[in-house]
Amino acid sequence: MTPGCPEPAGAVTLGFMRTQRQVVSHALRRRATLEAMRRPDAVMMESDPCDADPLLIRSALHHGVPSGSACPVCAGGRLSVLNYVFGDQLGQFSGRIKQPAELDEMETRFGEFTVREVEVCPDCGWNFMLSSYTLGDGHRRRPPRHQQTVEDIYG
């Protein structure tokens, strides 16, 4: 969110993150995809945007932050936003879903990592990456030690 710019209706934002940088918004591509879906004669150039993986839908149901707006495809009220984190300094925790409060805490514990916001509708399968940005205090750190997980123990 750029200071001084109005926030779109129903938008989910994390508020002001102190170290947020390299923000890439996919709002224009999202709008173009939705318009292409609404045209009766249009053939989708990309894969179907309503083809969410069952694991993504399950993640949205259990770990997603409600968006507060209706799904742009089916008008369902269960549209959720997931925040995936990626980065070398996260070690084995790269690729996990984090809540906004956890991102706020991670911002000072890690030097640099990328957050990808994905919106998912469990009703129709709509999924789209809303934005990506970098967080972290900029100080290079070693990844945390590998901690045993259930997969390590039981294979």
Side-chain angles (χ1 to χ4, degrees), residues 9-115:
V12 174
T13 60
L14 294 173
F16 178 70
M17 300 294 279
R18 291 178 304 241
T19 63
Q20 188 175 15
R21 57 196 181 278
Q22 298 177 353
V23 179
V24 177
S25 173
H26 299 283
L28 292 175
R29 198 175 100 209
R30 179 182 182 268
R31 185 184 314 169
T33 301
L34 289 169
E35 286 178 11
M37 288 176 65
R38 291 186 179 114
R39 276 183 271 161
D41 59 339
V43 176
M44 295 301 294
M45 298 298 273
E46 300 174 16
S47 63
D48 183 17
C50 290
D51 65 349
D53 186 87
L55 289 175
L56 183 62
I57 291 174
R58 195 172 311 139
S59 297
L61 289 171
H62 297 287
H63 305 288
V65 177
S67 73
S69 61
C71 174
V73 177
C74 72
R78 297 195 306 167
L79 189 67
S80 297
V81 175
L82 297 170
N83 299 304
Y84 285 93
V85 294
F86 297 95
D88 293 336
Q89 295 180 31
L90 300 177
Q92 76 185 60
F93 303 108
S94 181
R96 304 254 174 117
I97 298 170
K98 297 295 181 182
Q99 298 297 317
E102 293 174 300
L103 291 176
D104 192 36
E105 180 184 318
M106 290 174 65
E107 178 173 41
T108 56
R109 289 185 44 221
F110 296 98
E112 185 173 282
F113 61 96
T114 301
V115 179

